[in-house]
Amino acid sequence: MLRRLLAVIGVSTIVAAACAVPSSPGSGGPPVTLPDNGEPFTIVFIGDSEPRMRGNTNAELSAYVQNLLSYKTTTERYFDADGGIHRIDPELVILGGDISEDRGTSIANDLPIWQPLYNAGVPFIAGFGNHDWDPDSWGDGPGYSLAGHLSNENTRALVAETQRRSAATTPQFTYQQFGPTSAHGPDTYLSAYRGVGIASFNTYLYHPSYFYPEGWPASCNPLLGGAGCQRYVSAESQIQALEDALDPDPSRPMLFVQHYPLTTGSGWWNDYGVSGATVSQQKDRLLGLMDRFDEVALLAGHNHSSGHYTHNVGGRELNEYVAPYFGGGNGEDLTRGGGFVALLVSSTRGIIEVKTIPGGIA
C-alpha cells in the first residue's frame, strides 16, 4: 500500500468530559507532531520485566536496561532494510505490562530501574499487565481489597509518571491522557513521538473501571479488608474518547500497545460482562481501530515468548508482534533476559522493519 506524507498537525479533539482528568504536564491538549525530517529511527518494545518475581532481581533488570542503553554506544547491531545502514539505536522505549511483582508495582519500587533511560535522554513509557492490577480473585481470596485497591492506585501513578517524565525528557514526546470511566480504574494514553502515534491500553482495550459502595471498606466485608465489594463499569466511553482523538489522517504511522496479545486465550479478555461485548467483538474493535491506518502494528507481551502474527481484516493483513520475556529466561536462565522488539520507523515511510533481538547480555 502506498504511504502518503504525514500531516503535520494530527490528533483531534481532547477527551470527552466523561473521561476527563486533571491536567498535568504534557496532557493539556492533543498530541502534536513537531517538525521532523522523516529520517528512520528506532523504537524498542519490551515485555514483562517482572522484577522480584520468578527469581528476577532489581539488579538483574537494571543490568538489562544498561545493556539496552549499550545499543546507543558500544553495541552495534543493524536493521536489514535499505542495505543494513540503520543502526538499532533506541530513541523511545515502551514496556507492555507486567512491570513488577504482584501488588508491588510503584514509582518508588520500579522507576529507579528505568531512570537511566531518562538520564540518557530516552523517553520511556509503560502500561500495566495482569501482575500489576488486582484480579477479581486472588490466591488469598476475593480481589480488590483495600490493599489491592491501593496497589492499583500505585500502578496507575507509575504509568502516568512514565508519560510525564517522557514529556519532560524531550519536546518530541507528547501525550494525551484518558481517565477511568468510574471512581477508580486505568488511564489510557495517546502519545506521539517524532510523528509516530502510540495508543496504550494497559492489559487490553476493554479493561473496566470500578467503584465501591458508600462507606467502604467498613461497609462491606471488613474482615477481608473490603475485598470483593467492587462494582465494574464498562470502558466503552474511555475507548470512544480515545477513538475520537485518533488522527483522522490514515498516513500517520500508529502503534497500538497492550499487554494481552490478540492470540491469547479468551479468558484473559474478560471485562466481567459490563461492556456487553463478546471477546470476539472486543478483538474486532481493536482490529478496526488499527485498520484506520496505512502503517500500523500491535505490540503485546504476556506470553513470555516472542512471536509475529497476522490478522485478516477485509482482505488486509494486520501485524501483531509479541515481545520476548525481558525479565529472564522464563525463570530458568536469568542471564538470557533483556530481549526486545526493535522497530525501524519513520514519520514519512511508516513501519519499515521489525526485528526481534533475543535476550542475553551483549
Side-chain angles (χ1 to χ4, degrees), residues 112-250:
I113 295 172
W114 308 100
Q115 183 61 42
L117 293 170
Y118 300 120
N119 295 345
V122 178
F124 164 77
I125 58 174
F128 65 76
N130 54 289
H131 286 291
D132 308 302
W133 199 265
D134 222 38
D136 188 49
S137 60
W138 202 276
D140 56 4
Y144 289 82
S145 65
L146 179 59
H149 168 67
L150 294 177
S151 173
N152 291 349
E153 292 294 290
N154 286 338
T155 291
R156 183 187 179 199
L158 172 63
V159 170
E161 182 64 10
T162 65
Q163 297 276 340
R164 189 199 68 79
R165 289 198 190 189
S166 292
T169 297
T170 171
Q172 292 281 8
F173 181 90
T174 57
Y175 71 95
Q176 188 175 2
Q177 184 175 3
F178 302 85
T181 56
S182 190
H184 314 292
D187 302 299
T188 58
Y189 293 88
L190 184 59
S191 311
Y193 180 72
R194 290 190 57 184
V196 176
I198 305 108
S200 303
F201 301 129
N202 298 300
T203 55
Y204 77 118
L205 180 65
Y206 275 80
H207 190 112
S209 295
Y210 64 99
F211 67 93
Y212 291 104
E214 186 176 354
W216 179 87
S219 64
C220 178
N221 201 9
L223 295 181
L224 284 179
C229 300
Q230 77 285 353
R231 297 295 179 265
Y232 295 110
V233 177
S234 171
E236 177 57 40
S237 61
Q238 187 181 50
I239 298 168
Q240 188 62 56
L242 187 147
E243 181 175 358
D244 290 345
L246 288 172
D247 196 324
D249 182 356

Side-chain angles (χ1 to χ4, degrees), residues 68-125:
L68 190 61
L69 281 170
S70 76
Y71 284 80
K72 298 189 68 65
T73 54
T74 57
T75 302
E76 293 191 29
R77 293 196 65 172
Y78 292 83
F79 291 100
D80 300 322
D82 300 334
I85 63 172
H86 303 292
R87 181 174 173 176
I88 295 175
D89 178 8
E91 285 203 25
L92 168 67
V93 176
I94 304 171
L95 171 58
D98 282 4
I99 303 164
S100 186
E101 63 182 333
D102 296 340
R103 290 181 180 163
T105 304
S106 71
I107 292 173
N109 288 341
D110 296 295
L111 212 49
I113 295 172
W114 308 100
Q115 183 61 42
L117 293 170
Y118 300 120
N119 295 345
V122 178
F124 164 77
I125 58 174

Side-chain angles (χ1 to χ4, degrees), residues 223-306:
L223 295 181
L224 284 179
C229 300
Q230 77 285 353
R231 297 295 179 265
Y232 295 110
V233 177
S234 171
E236 177 57 40
S237 61
Q238 187 181 50
I239 298 168
Q240 188 62 56
L242 187 147
E243 181 175 358
D244 290 345
L246 288 172
D247 196 324
D249 182 356
S251 69
R252 156 94 62 155
M254 278 295 302
L255 303 176
F256 288 82
V257 181
Q258 62 177 39
H259 186 61
Y260 298 147
L262 282 161
T263 47
T264 297
S266 60
W268 294 102
W269 289 64
N270 181 11
D271 73 344
Y272 312 106
V274 290
S275 69
T278 66
V279 171
S280 178
Q281 289 170 332
Q282 292 174 29
K283 293 184 177 183
D284 285 345
R285 179 77 174 277
L286 176 54
L287 288 169
L289 294 178
M290 294 173 60
D291 193 40
R292 293 171 54 165
F293 298 93
D294 297 340
E295 292 289 325
V296 66
L298 173 66
L299 305 177
H302 186 64
N303 288 354
H304 293 195
S305 178
S306 61

Side-chain angles (χ1 to χ4, degrees), residues 19 23 26 29 49 53 61 117 141 144 169 200 202 277 289 311 320 353:
C19 293
S23 61
S49 47
M53 283 184 66
L61 266 297
L117 293 170
Y144 289 82
T169 297
S200 303
N202 298 300
L289 294 178
H311 306 277
E320 171 187 358
E353 184 180 343

